[in-house]
Amino acid sequence: MKWAISRRAQQLTSSAIREILKVTERPEVISFAGGLPSPASFPVAAMEAAVARVFADNPQAALQYASTEGYLPLREFVAKRYNVGVERVLITTGSQQALDLIAKVMIDPGSPVLVETPSYLGALQAFSLFEPEFVSVPTDERGLLPDALTRELTHGARFLYALPNFQNPTGRRLPLERRQALIARAKELDLLIVEDDPYGELSYTGDQLPTLLSMNPDGVIYMGSFSKILAPGLRLGFVIAPPELHFKLCQAKQASDLHTPSFTQRLAYESVRDGLLERHIPTIRDLYGKQCEVMLDALTRHMPAGVTWNRPEGGMFIWVELPEGLDSMKILEEAVRRNVAYVPGAPFYAGAPRKNTLRLAFVTVPPERIEQGVTILGELFREAIAQASPQPRAA
Amino acid sequence: MKWAISRRAQQLTSSAIREILKVTERPEVISFAGGLPSPASFPVAAMEAAVARVFADNPQAALQYASTEGYLPLREFVAKRYNVGVERVLITTGSQQALDLIAKVMIDPGSPVLVETPSYLGALQAFSLFEPEFVSVPTDERGLLPDALTRELTHGARFLYALPNFQNPTGRRLPLERRQALIARAKELDLLIVEDDPYGELSYTGDQLPTLLSMNPDGVIYMGSFSKILAPGLRLGFVIAPPELHFKLCQAKQASDLHTPSFTQRLAYESVRDGLLERHIPTIRDLYGKQCEVMLDALTRHMPAGVTWNRPEGGMFIWVELPEGLDSMKILEEAVRRNVAYVPGAPFYAGAPRKNTLRLAFVTVPPERIEQGVTILGELFREAIAQASPQPRAA
């Protein structure tokens, strides 16, 4: 039997990277590839106590259908935390679902959508299913360049997708002045911003810059997540949007999964209602900051000249640049043979990729394994540089 | 600020019915409108014990990211139950998500999609976002008519969406001979069938007819759900598909919500692994069968001549037809004023609606309230018939 599938489904092809990275599940592989938070950071005891309260309070409500917008106390918790009206808050099945809903509501085939260079792969995938035309916004090592948002570049754009805090994949944080300039520019251009902020509270020193949402609540759709501050296996995110867009997002969500599980929403609310996050987030910051230091230190000692990287102020990722001309995708195969994995940078680019880039995740790997893995990568990159140098330039 | 939203989002309009039915949350309203399973049927104690096991076994895995396909033991449980290879099983965030994923993978704007007359409203909504051209398949009181599936009617159809068991909204079950004829016809026409089966195990006598899946595993995408046999608040469904479609559905799911919550999947698996469903489903059948009898009995005693309804063999719904010319949508406003609610039939039709139809749900309403509500509806319909009779025919 032969069926016709949709044009968007035909575009979905098996990822070469995913095939290579499948082997990283072998225990002998030191993987800097995963984007997983450290399970050591999950507040298991608090959540076990919370689930007992869910069963004690009203188990039948936790097991029944519920409203599309989400569990009201959890929505109120989010609204208070972000100082917005609860009528703007929609609970989503992870913030990946928020990407899907935003795409459903905002993107027609061929609609221009502005993205950072590079940007979050999961967003590019979610948006791609709705066939936008991606427009790459130039960036430097501190994030996107507000001045690059000209009338020409942004013409007809449905929105700008921005990750101002410890961006996945680069770990970059957008400085305050740029946030201010970006908001001013967006207002001038009548440009909607989609702010994706799963890592905003994971600054290692605890300092936080204002969200774009707080600077212009009526011009920003804000996406947040409990994945990095509580537990990703609950698949709980939220989207804060101006009322008319909130309403459309709710309609799209109803068609997509009716509502996010009542049970996980109540579990999360019972976990966080008494100030757990205030006690818990500092321990995550501390853990991730230390892990980051270990990796930065190892990079300094083991990377050959010509390899550069940034020094993140928070989050889970370091962005590495190899000398121009090297291809991190090709090198990955040999890295995996030597039992170390990372994610090549190319797939994070909507437009022409910088093939000499790669992403390192450090939060789940024990310090001695970080040291060992970076040592191996240092040797490998040194060999790759040596091999590349004497050869004539590729056509 | 004014934004451009997608064409599909513009089509999403506020439902008049939903506005009317909002008042049904008032406790004085006797609502036959909801499609909710009875909370009395939730196995709370078994699930509380199950959640304790989830925390005892491997809480960190239950709280971490997981594979898109779903929790392997739960997939194996489903595969065994349906006698299919586990590689065909994808766990979804409720079976509503399966509708969204199938639409993503199968529907282009303008693609013909065959639906029963009437069909499940949630499916029409999910598919609509992908802008198909709905083609209505004729039915009678026993379900769809396989002979109506001519080469002309089915030309270019991406699939036929069928609900063979106790269909929402009509409660109809497709007889065995029609299932056989349907499968034979679909094979001839190379027509893919999407079989939506949330109520299949809720036959009041416990007898089950073979699924379309079992009759042609390579020509059917099967959607199942834990909502009606365990608890809907977990939002757990599954889709069984031929391998190449399974793969595409997984890719679409990854972009939609990465994966269904690890926590709810493990909770469900720990709940059902020891045969809970075999003990529990008969109690639901029994409860729903008794509730159905109460409503059928009340209808017989209170409905005026000219009103007809079916006698379901399972599930949660009765389909009522008023005399030709009456509009159940208009009557609903007065019904709600008298504190009784139902769902008008019109929105369940992809094409021209039969406005004189309506759906009654009976599983959550106590018997004395069923009696009371049906009494009120009987009076109301009698009045409406009397009012309609002497008047000249509407233009």
Side-chain angles (χ1 to χ4, degrees), chain B residues 108-134:
Chain B
D108 284 312
S111 300
V113 167
L114 301 164
V115 294
E116 296 170 348
T117 311
S119 185
Y120 171 51
L121 180 55
L124 298 180
Q125 288 174 335
F127 298 162
S128 284
L129 283 175
F130 299 88
E131 306 175 77
E133 185 199 319
F134 286 118

PDB file of all heavy atoms in Angstrom, chain B residues 108-134:
ATOM      1  N   ASP B 108      -2.200  18.087   3.475  1.00  0.00           N
ATOM      2  CA  ASP B 108      -1.809  19.362   2.863  1.00  0.00           C
ATOM      3  C   ASP B 108      -3.070  20.206   2.683  1.00  0.00           C
ATOM      4  O   ASP B 108      -4.185  19.665   2.640  1.00  0.00           O
ATOM      5  CB  ASP B 108      -1.172  19.112   1.484  1.00  0.00           C
ATOM      6  CG  ASP B 108       0.243  18.583   1.590  1.00  0.00           C
ATOM      7  OD1 ASP B 108       1.034  19.157   2.361  1.00  0.00           O
ATOM      8  OD2 ASP B 108       0.551  17.588   0.902  1.00  0.00           O
ATOM      9  N   PRO B 109      -2.920  21.533   2.543  1.00  0.00           N
ATOM     10  CA  PRO B 109      -4.108  22.340   2.243  1.00  0.00           C
ATOM     11  C   PRO B 109      -4.822  21.783   1.005  1.00  0.00           C
ATOM     12  O   PRO B 109      -4.191  21.539  -0.025  1.00  0.00           O
ATOM     13  CB  PRO B 109      -3.532  23.732   1.980  1.00  0.00           C
ATOM     14  CG  PRO B 109      -2.275  23.775   2.784  1.00  0.00           C
ATOM     15  CD  PRO B 109      -1.716  22.377   2.695  1.00  0.00           C
ATOM     16  N   GLY B 110      -6.128  21.556   1.146  1.00  0.00           N
ATOM     17  CA  GLY B 110      -6.904  21.037   0.024  1.00  0.00           C
ATOM     18  C   GLY B 110      -6.956  19.521  -0.095  1.00  0.00           C
ATOM     19  O   GLY B 110      -7.688  19.000  -0.935  1.00  0.00           O
ATOM     20  N   SER B 111      -6.180  18.801   0.730  1.00  0.00           N
ATOM     21  CA  SER B 111      -6.218  17.328   0.649  1.00  0.00           C
ATOM     22  C   SER B 111      -7.604  16.808   1.017  1.00  0.00           C
ATOM     23  O   SER B 111      -8.133  17.165   2.076  1.00  0.00           O
ATOM     24  CB  SER B 111      -5.236  16.705   1.652  1.00  0.00           C
ATOM     25  OG  SER B 111      -3.925  17.083   1.428  1.00  0.00           O
ATOM     26  N   PRO B 112      -8.186  15.919   0.217  1.00  0.00           N
ATOM     27  CA  PRO B 112      -9.455  15.323   0.622  1.00  0.00           C
ATOM     28  C   PRO B 112      -9.258  14.384   1.825  1.00  0.00           C
ATOM     29  O   PRO B 112      -8.290  13.602   1.857  1.00  0.00           O
ATOM     30  CB  PRO B 112      -9.879  14.512  -0.609  1.00  0.00           C
ATOM     31  CG  PRO B 112      -9.045  15.036  -1.736  1.00  0.00           C
ATOM     32  CD  PRO B 112      -7.757  15.494  -1.122  1.00  0.00           C
ATOM     33  N   VAL B 113     -10.125  14.515   2.797  1.00  0.00           N
ATOM     34  CA  VAL B 113     -10.142  13.631   3.969  1.00  0.00           C
ATOM     35  C   VAL B 113     -11.584  13.172   4.154  1.00  0.00           C
ATOM     36  O   VAL B 113     -12.499  13.993   4.248  1.00  0.00           O
ATOM     37  CB  VAL B 113      -9.626  14.365   5.220  1.00  0.00           C
ATOM     38  CG1 VAL B 113      -9.946  13.568   6.487  1.00  0.00           C
ATOM     39  CG2 VAL B 113      -8.124  14.619   5.132  1.00  0.00           C
ATOM     40  N   LEU B 114     -11.770  11.846   4.190  1.00  0.00           N
ATOM     41  CA  LEU B 114     -13.113  11.281   4.327  1.00  0.00           C
ATOM     42  C   LEU B 114     -13.499  11.192   5.796  1.00  0.00           C
ATOM     43  O   LEU B 114     -12.722  10.689   6.617  1.00  0.00           O
ATOM     44  CB  LEU B 114     -13.145   9.876   3.710  1.00  0.00           C
ATOM     45  CG  LEU B 114     -12.775   9.780   2.227  1.00  0.00           C
ATOM     46  CD1 LEU B 114     -12.458   8.319   1.857  1.00  0.00           C
ATOM     47  CD2 LEU B 114     -13.916  10.306   1.359  1.00  0.00           C
ATOM     48  N   VAL B 115     -14.700  11.661   6.125  1.00  0.00           N
ATOM     49  CA  VAL B 115     -15.189  11.576   7.506  1.00  0.00           C
ATOM     50  C   VAL B 115     -16.623  11.057   7.519  1.00  0.00           C
ATOM     51  O   VAL B 115     -17.380  11.254   6.563  1.00  0.00           O
ATOM     52  CB  VAL B 115     -15.147  12.943   8.224  1.00  0.00           C
ATOM     53  CG1 VAL B 115     -13.706  13.412   8.414  1.00  0.00           C
ATOM     54  CG2 VAL B 115     -15.942  14.015   7.476  1.00  0.00           C
ATOM     55  N   GLU B 116     -16.956  10.411   8.640  1.00  0.00           N
ATOM     56  CA  GLU B 116     -18.323   9.926   8.809  1.00  0.00           C
ATOM     57  C   GLU B 116     -19.293  11.102   8.987  1.00  0.00           C
ATOM     58  O   GLU B 116     -18.879  12.212   9.297  1.00  0.00           O
ATOM     59  CB  GLU B 116     -18.382   9.006  10.035  1.00  0.00           C
ATOM     60  CG  GLU B 116     -17.534   7.746   9.860  1.00  0.00           C
ATOM     61  CD  GLU B 116     -17.381   6.950  11.155  1.00  0.00           C
ATOM     62  OE1 GLU B 116     -17.728   7.466  12.234  1.00  0.00           O
ATOM     63  OE2 GLU B 116     -16.903   5.806  11.071  1.00  0.00           O
ATOM     64  N   THR B 117     -20.578  10.820   8.823  1.00  0.00           N
ATOM     65  CA  THR B 117     -21.620  11.846   8.923  1.00  0.00           C
ATOM     66  C   THR B 117     -22.607  11.452  10.010  1.00  0.00           C
ATOM     67  O   THR B 117     -23.405  10.548   9.792  1.00  0.00           O
ATOM     68  CB  THR B 117     -22.387  11.951   7.585  1.00  0.00           C
ATOM     69  OG1 THR B 117     -21.429  12.058   6.526  1.00  0.00           O
ATOM     70  CG2 THR B 117     -23.297  13.149   7.555  1.00  0.00           C
ATOM     71  N   PRO B 118     -22.545  12.074  11.185  1.00  0.00           N
ATOM     72  CA  PRO B 118     -21.588  13.046  11.683  1.00  0.00           C
ATOM     73  C   PRO B 118     -20.292  12.374  12.141  1.00  0.00           C
ATOM     74  O   PRO B 118     -20.187  11.151  12.104  1.00  0.00           O
ATOM     75  CB  PRO B 118     -22.343  13.642  12.880  1.00  0.00           C
ATOM     76  CG  PRO B 118     -23.154  12.497  13.399  1.00  0.00           C
ATOM     77  CD  PRO B 118     -23.571  11.722  12.182  1.00  0.00           C
ATOM     78  N   SER B 119     -19.334  13.206  12.599  1.00  0.00           N
ATOM     79  CA  SER B 119     -18.062  12.677  13.071  1.00  0.00           C
ATOM     80  C   SER B 119     -17.652  13.392  14.359  1.00  0.00           C
ATOM     81  O   SER B 119     -18.321  14.324  14.816  1.00  0.00           O
ATOM     82  CB  SER B 119     -16.986  12.851  11.998  1.00  0.00           C
ATOM     83  OG  SER B 119     -15.776  12.232  12.388  1.00  0.00           O
ATOM     84  N   TYR B 120     -16.529  12.954  14.933  1.00  0.00           N
ATOM     85  CA  TYR B 120     -16.064  13.518  16.209  1.00  0.00           C
ATOM     86  C   TYR B 120     -15.578  14.955  16.009  1.00  0.00           C
ATOM     87  O   TYR B 120     -14.700  15.221  15.187  1.00  0.00           O
ATOM     88  CB  TYR B 120     -14.952  12.637  16.780  1.00  0.00           C
ATOM     89  CG  TYR B 120     -14.246  13.222  17.977  1.00  0.00           C
ATOM     90  CD1 TYR B 120     -14.967  13.703  19.070  1.00  0.00           C
ATOM     91  CD2 TYR B 120     -12.859  13.287  18.028  1.00  0.00           C
ATOM     92  CE1 TYR B 120     -14.321  14.241  20.172  1.00  0.00           C
ATOM     93  CE2 TYR B 120     -12.206  13.824  19.128  1.00  0.00           C
ATOM     94  CZ  TYR B 120     -12.946  14.302  20.192  1.00  0.00           C
ATOM     95  OH  TYR B 120     -12.294  14.843  21.279  1.00  0.00           O
ATOM     96  N   LEU B 121     -16.167  15.867  16.787  1.00  0.00           N
ATOM     97  CA  LEU B 121     -15.877  17.288  16.658  1.00  0.00           C
ATOM     98  C   LEU B 121     -14.395  17.616  16.876  1.00  0.00           C
ATOM     99  O   LEU B 121     -13.806  18.423  16.152  1.00  0.00           O
ATOM    100  CB  LEU B 121     -16.741  18.044  17.684  1.00  0.00           C
ATOM    101  CG  LEU B 121     -16.627  19.546  17.767  1.00  0.00           C
ATOM    102  CD1 LEU B 121     -16.884  20.206  16.426  1.00  0.00           C
ATOM    103  CD2 LEU B 121     -17.609  20.085  18.815  1.00  0.00           C
ATOM    104  N   GLY B 122     -13.778  16.970  17.863  1.00  0.00           N
ATOM    105  CA  GLY B 122     -12.357  17.226  18.164  1.00  0.00           C
ATOM    106  C   GLY B 122     -11.451  16.858  16.997  1.00  0.00           C
ATOM    107  O   GLY B 122     -10.409  17.476  16.791  1.00  0.00           O
ATOM    108  N   ALA B 123     -11.867  15.859  16.234  1.00  0.00           N
ATOM    109  CA  ALA B 123     -11.084  15.470  15.056  1.00  0.00           C
ATOM    110  C   ALA B 123     -11.266  16.494  13.947  1.00  0.00           C
ATOM    111  O   ALA B 123     -10.300  16.903  13.294  1.00  0.00           O
ATOM    112  CB  ALA B 123     -11.495  14.080  14.579  1.00  0.00           C
ATOM    113  N   LEU B 124     -12.507  16.923  13.751  1.00  0.00           N
ATOM    114  CA  LEU B 124     -12.749  17.934  12.720  1.00  0.00           C
ATOM    115  C   LEU B 124     -11.933  19.198  13.036  1.00  0.00           C
ATOM    116  O   LEU B 124     -11.348  19.808  12.139  1.00  0.00           O
ATOM    117  CB  LEU B 124     -14.243  18.271  12.635  1.00  0.00           C
ATOM    118  CG  LEU B 124     -15.183  17.113  12.249  1.00  0.00           C
ATOM    119  CD1 LEU B 124     -16.637  17.604  12.212  1.00  0.00           C
ATOM    120  CD2 LEU B 124     -14.802  16.501  10.905  1.00  0.00           C
ATOM    121  N   GLN B 125     -11.869  19.552  14.318  1.00  0.00           N
ATOM    122  CA  GLN B 125     -11.090  20.733  14.712  1.00  0.00           C
ATOM    123  C   GLN B 125      -9.599  20.531  14.475  1.00  0.00           C
ATOM    124  O   GLN B 125      -8.907  21.402  13.947  1.00  0.00           O
ATOM    125  CB  GLN B 125     -11.346  21.063  16.184  1.00  0.00           C
ATOM    126  CG  GLN B 125     -12.732  21.641  16.439  1.00  0.00           C
ATOM    127  CD  GLN B 125     -13.036  21.821  17.912  1.00  0.00           C
ATOM    128  OE1 GLN B 125     -12.471  21.135  18.756  1.00  0.00           O
ATOM    129  NE2 GLN B 125     -13.946  22.737  18.224  1.00  0.00           N
ATOM    130  N   ALA B 126      -9.095  19.385  14.905  1.00  0.00           N
ATOM    131  CA  ALA B 126      -7.650  19.130  14.745  1.00  0.00           C
ATOM    132  C   ALA B 126      -7.260  19.108  13.271  1.00  0.00           C
ATOM    133  O   ALA B 126      -6.251  19.686  12.868  1.00  0.00           O
ATOM    134  CB  ALA B 126      -7.273  17.807  15.410  1.00  0.00           C
ATOM    135  N   PHE B 127      -8.071  18.426  12.459  1.00  0.00           N
ATOM    136  CA  PHE B 127      -7.747  18.338  11.033  1.00  0.00           C
ATOM    137  C   PHE B 127      -7.869  19.711  10.363  1.00  0.00           C
ATOM    138  O   PHE B 127      -7.066  20.068   9.494  1.00  0.00           O
ATOM    139  CB  PHE B 127      -8.666  17.342  10.322  1.00  0.00           C
ATOM    140  CG  PHE B 127      -8.560  15.914  10.805  1.00  0.00           C
ATOM    141  CD1 PHE B 127      -9.564  14.987  10.530  1.00  0.00           C
ATOM    142  CD2 PHE B 127      -7.453  15.475  11.539  1.00  0.00           C
ATOM    143  CE1 PHE B 127      -9.462  13.662  10.958  1.00  0.00           C
ATOM    144  CE2 PHE B 127      -7.350  14.162  11.976  1.00  0.00           C
ATOM    145  CZ  PHE B 127      -8.363  13.258  11.685  1.00  0.00           C
ATOM    146  N   SER B 128      -8.896  20.486  10.768  1.00  0.00           N
ATOM    147  CA  SER B 128      -9.175  21.776  10.130  1.00  0.00           C
ATOM    148  C   SER B 128      -7.976  22.703  10.122  1.00  0.00           C
ATOM    149  O   SER B 128      -7.793  23.485   9.182  1.00  0.00           O
ATOM    150  CB  SER B 128     -10.322  22.490  10.846  1.00  0.00           C
ATOM    151  OG  SER B 128     -11.537  21.898  10.499  1.00  0.00           O
ATOM    152  N   LEU B 129      -7.164  22.640  11.184  1.00  0.00           N
ATOM    153  CA  LEU B 129      -5.994  23.514  11.250  1.00  0.00           C
ATOM    154  C   LEU B 129      -5.047  23.275  10.083  1.00  0.00           C
ATOM    155  O   LEU B 129      -4.208  24.103   9.774  1.00  0.00           O
ATOM    156  CB  LEU B 129      -5.242  23.298  12.569  1.00  0.00           C
ATOM    157  CG  LEU B 129      -5.868  23.954  13.802  1.00  0.00           C
ATOM    158  CD1 LEU B 129      -5.107  23.558  15.056  1.00  0.00           C
ATOM    159  CD2 LEU B 129      -5.848  25.473  13.664  1.00  0.00           C
ATOM    160  N   PHE B 130      -5.166  22.114   9.442  1.00  0.00           N
ATOM    161  CA  PHE B 130      -4.290  21.807   8.315  1.00  0.00           C
ATOM    162  C   PHE B 130      -5.030  21.921   6.979  1.00  0.00           C
ATOM    163  O   PHE B 130      -4.534  21.502   5.946  1.00  0.00           O
ATOM    164  CB  PHE B 130      -3.623  20.443   8.537  1.00  0.00           C
ATOM    165  CG  PHE B 130      -2.787  20.460   9.780  1.00  0.00           C
ATOM    166  CD1 PHE B 130      -3.330  20.156  11.018  1.00  0.00           C
ATOM    167  CD2 PHE B 130      -1.466  20.877   9.733  1.00  0.00           C
ATOM    168  CE1 PHE B 130      -2.578  20.232  12.178  1.00  0.00           C
ATOM    169  CE2 PHE B 130      -0.699  20.950  10.887  1.00  0.00           C
ATOM    170  CZ  PHE B 130      -1.255  20.632  12.116  1.00  0.00           C
ATOM    171  N   GLU B 131      -6.236  22.489   7.048  1.00  0.00           N
ATOM    172  CA  GLU B 131      -6.984  22.920   5.878  1.00  0.00           C
ATOM    173  C   GLU B 131      -7.250  21.841   4.825  1.00  0.00           C
ATOM    174  O   GLU B 131      -6.998  22.046   3.641  1.00  0.00           O
ATOM    175  CB  GLU B 131      -6.281  24.127   5.228  1.00  0.00           C
ATOM    176  CG  GLU B 131      -6.045  25.257   6.240  1.00  0.00           C
ATOM    177  CD  GLU B 131      -5.253  26.418   5.654  1.00  0.00           C
ATOM    178  OE1 GLU B 131      -5.838  27.206   4.920  1.00  0.00           O
ATOM    179  OE2 GLU B 131      -4.031  26.507   5.927  1.00  0.00           O
ATOM    180  N   PRO B 132      -7.788  20.688   5.258  1.00  0.00           N
ATOM    181  CA  PRO B 132      -8.169  19.665   4.271  1.00  0.00           C
ATOM    182  C   PRO B 132      -9.484  20.045   3.607  1.00  0.00           C
ATOM    183  O   PRO B 132     -10.138  21.006   4.011  1.00  0.00           O
ATOM    184  CB  PRO B 132      -8.382  18.426   5.142  1.00  0.00           C
ATOM    185  CG  PRO B 132      -8.915  18.990   6.426  1.00  0.00           C
ATOM    186  CD  PRO B 132      -8.178  20.311   6.622  1.00  0.00           C
ATOM    187  N   GLU B 133      -9.851  19.276   2.599  1.00  0.00           N
ATOM    188  CA  GLU B 133     -11.203  19.366   2.067  1.00  0.00           C
ATOM    189  C   GLU B 133     -11.960  18.139   2.597  1.00  0.00           C
ATOM    190  O   GLU B 133     -11.649  17.002   2.215  1.00  0.00           O
ATOM    191  CB  GLU B 133     -11.155  19.334   0.526  1.00  0.00           C
ATOM    192  CG  GLU B 133     -12.488  19.542  -0.137  1.00  0.00           C
ATOM    193  CD  GLU B 133     -12.456  19.042  -1.575  1.00  0.00           C
ATOM    194  OE1 GLU B 133     -11.435  19.269  -2.261  1.00  0.00           O
ATOM    195  OE2 GLU B 133     -13.430  18.410  -2.008  1.00  0.00           O
ATOM    196  N   PHE B 134     -12.890  18.360   3.517  1.00  0.00           N
ATOM    197  CA  PHE B 134     -13.621  17.235   4.095  1.00  0.00           C
ATOM    198  C   PHE B 134     -14.601  16.661   3.076  1.00  0.00           C
ATOM    199  O   PHE B 134     -15.286  17.407   2.375  1.00  0.00           O
ATOM    200  CB  PHE B 134     -14.402  17.665   5.333  1.00  0.00           C
ATOM    201  CG  PHE B 134     -13.537  17.900   6.538  1.00  0.00           C
ATOM    202  CD1 PHE B 134     -13.469  19.158   7.126  1.00  0.00           C
ATOM    203  CD2 PHE B 134     -12.790  16.859   7.091  1.00  0.00           C
ATOM    204  CE1 PHE B 134     -12.671  19.384   8.244  1.00  0.00           C
ATOM    205  CE2 PHE B 134     -11.992  17.080   8.212  1.00  0.00           C
ATOM    206  CZ  PHE B 134     -11.928  18.343   8.786  1.00  0.00           C
TER     207      PHE B 134
END
